[in-house]
Amino acid sequence: MANVIKRPQYTKMNGLLYPEMFSPKCFQEALEYKPKPGDVFIDAYPKCGTTWMQNVAMYIFRKGKELEKSTDFLKLAPYIDLLGMEGIINMPRPGAFKTHLPYYMLHSPDAKYIFVARNPKDCCVSFFYYTRDQPGFGYWDGEFDDFFELFMAGELGYNDYFNHLLDWYPHRNDPNIFYTTYEDMKKDIKSVILKLSRFLGDEYVEAIEKDNAVFNNIIRYSGFNYMKKMMSEMRNLRESEDMDFTFTGLNHMYEFNKSLKPPEDRPEFEEVRKGIVGDWRNHFSVDQTERLNRKFLEKMKDTEVLQWFPIE
């Protein structure tokens, strides 16, 4: 690997890199949690579509009913790595947890899983901006070329992109796993919503078939513009709000972020940035493209993933 000048701030638990800004207690309790019947998990490597799928699943469960306030998203579609055991147990059901944990750390035959994959090149670019702009990584002056090297070496949060995908891939057709790609969601979100509704339960399909407004609301409230607005509102969350156990890990993260004393002129953090396919072309050099293509072909040999993300 080329000499990397700067690295994001990660730490390690059970062999897994995770953001140092996370509460170690909450992360450990997420690893220790044994999924129960009725649990639903949304899983993908970071920046491969988890936030979008959180919104889709949440509004399927809510049968198209809009949130009363944006911060309810943190309770109804929580990031299990930040919750802590009390938050995990008390998460309102039906609902879905978000996580980036590998299959071997999370799977249970008693739960359902929604797995999303994304072209590694677009994942790398999106992951870079997320890492650069989220102050808790201490990477506001990081460069894409350095980040690319870390991505290629699998030295980022939740370890290697390719190993994560290969861990889930053999189980894509298991009866308790629903899989899709970010690109398929962009191409035909209506079809993905219908298929996912069937996977989650008959009552959700029936709600859509009975009232077309339910379907239209799920599409609208999980759309890019609406999500971007909602996530922007959530960024205004302050400690003055009436917080409960759901925010245990967030409190820890906010305090950690402040301790780094990030510069005021750093890039603005956006949970939802562009939401497009093919942005990698604006960032990858010819050499970087060739190197990632070689690794992709090597790692995904003899898998259908080669058809999911054709080499360019």
Side-chain angles (χ1 to χ4, degrees):
M1 184 176 72
N3 184 41
V4 172
I5 297 173
K6 188 174 180 65
R7 294 171 179 265
Q9 294 193 206
Y10 288 111
T11 188
K12 186 176 286 190
M13 185 179 294
N14 292 8
L16 197 66
L17 287 169
Y18 72 99
E20 191 176 354
M21 71 183 101
F22 285 10
S23 160
K25 178 178 181 294
C26 288
F27 193 73
Q28 180 176 359
E29 290 174 347
L31 295 180
E32 293 173 349
Y33 179 67
K34 304 301 181 185
K36 295 178 171 53
D39 281 350
V40 179
F41 294 86
I42 298 166
D43 198 295
Y45 191 76
K47 308 313 295 178
C48 286
T50 37
T51 300
W52 189 4
M53 186 57 83
Q54 276 177 284
N55 281 270
V56 171
M58 180 181 68
Y59 281 110
I60 290 174
F61 282 129
R62 291 178 62 79
K63 299 176 182 176
K65 182 181 178 183
E66 188 176 14
L67 293 180
E68 293 183 3
K69 58 180 182 177
S70 62
T71 51
D72 286 344
F73 175 80
L74 298 170
K75 300 179 182 180
L76 300 175
Y79 190 2
I80 193 171
D81 303 20
L82 298 175
L83 274 182
M85 192 59 72
E86 185 179 3
I88 295 171
I89 293 170
N90 289 287
M91 193 270 280
R93 270 79 163 178
F97 296 106
K98 163 187 171 177
T99 188
H100 303 301
L101 295 177
Y103 175 89
Y104 76 91
M105 284 187 166
L106 184 66
H107 181 67
S108 165
D110 295 325
K112 288 185 175 183
Y113 299 86
I114 303 165
F115 179 71
V116 187
R118 188 181 189 182
N119 185 308
K121 298 189 187 92
D122 277 334
C123 168
C124 180
V125 170
S126 183
F127 203 179
F128 164 69
Y129 281 105
Y130 177 83
T131 305
R132 186 197 69 176
D133 299 347
Q134 162 59 270
F137 288 108
Y139 202 67
W140 46 81
D141 54 351
E143 298 291 340
F144 178 73
D145 288 351
D146 273 356
F147 192 86
F148 173 83
E149 296 299 334
L150 295 171
F151 185 85
M152 289 290 289
E155 296 179 7
L156 294 171
Y158 301 88
N159 298 1
D160 184 74
Y161 162 95
F162 300 95
N163 291 342
H164 188 278
L165 179 52
L166 285 171
D167 195 32
W168 280 94
Y169 174 80
H171 308 282
R172 65 196 181 285
N173 295 320
D174 290 359
N176 67 329
I177 292 180
F178 174 92
Y179 89 92
T180 189
T181 68
Y182 187 93
E183 290 73 13
D184 282 344
M185 293 175 71
K186 290 292 292 184
K187 186 188 306 179
D188 190 358
I189 189 61
K190 293 182 180 180
S191 176
V192 172
I193 290 171
L194 286 170
K195 291 175 183 177
L196 180 58
S197 297
R198 294 190 187 98
F199 174 77
L200 293 175
D202 292 342
E203 69 175 284
Y204 305 110
V205 180
E206 291 168 1
I208 288 173
E209 293 175 343
K210 184 177 180 180
D211 186 353
N212 197 51
V214 171
F215 193 29
N216 289 336
N217 283 346
I218 295 170
I219 295 168
R220 177 190 174 194
Y221 297 142
S222 61
F224 178 80
N225 290 334
Y226 187 90
M227 284 196 303
K228 194 173 182 72
K229 176 177 175 292
M230 184 187 72
M231 294 296 175
S232 178
E233 291 175 356
M234 283 202 301
R235 285 202 303 273
N236 295 324
L237 180 66
R238 293 292 183 264
E239 297 172 11
S240 58
E241 290 221 8
D242 181 19
M243 295 201 182
D244 59 18
F245 60 82
T246 307
F247 295 89
T248 300
L250 287 179
N251 283 332
H252 183 280
M253 186 169 69
Y254 293 151
E255 292 301 319
F256 182 91
N257 291 2
K258 286 193 296 184
S259 73
L260 296 182
K261 299 180 179 179
E264 293 184 3
D265 62 348
R266 72 182 188 278
E268 180 182 1
F269 173 67
E270 293 181 291
E271 180 76 34
V272 178
R273 193 176 63 92
K274 283 187 176 181
I276 63 174
V277 172
D279 192 36
W280 66 268
R281 297 184 187 91
N282 300 316
H283 297 78
F284 274 55
S285 68
V286 172
D287 178 67
Q288 288 169 341
T289 301
E290 291 176 350
R291 287 175 59 199
L292 196 145
N293 284 348
R294 284 198 300 270
K295 182 168 185 178
F296 179 73
L297 288 170
E298 175 189 340
K299 298 286 286 190
M300 298 299 150
K301 182 181 178 182
D302 299 326
T303 74
E304 295 175 10
V305 179
L306 297 176
Q307 281 73 56
W308 297 357
F309 313 123
I311 291 292
E312 295 184 52

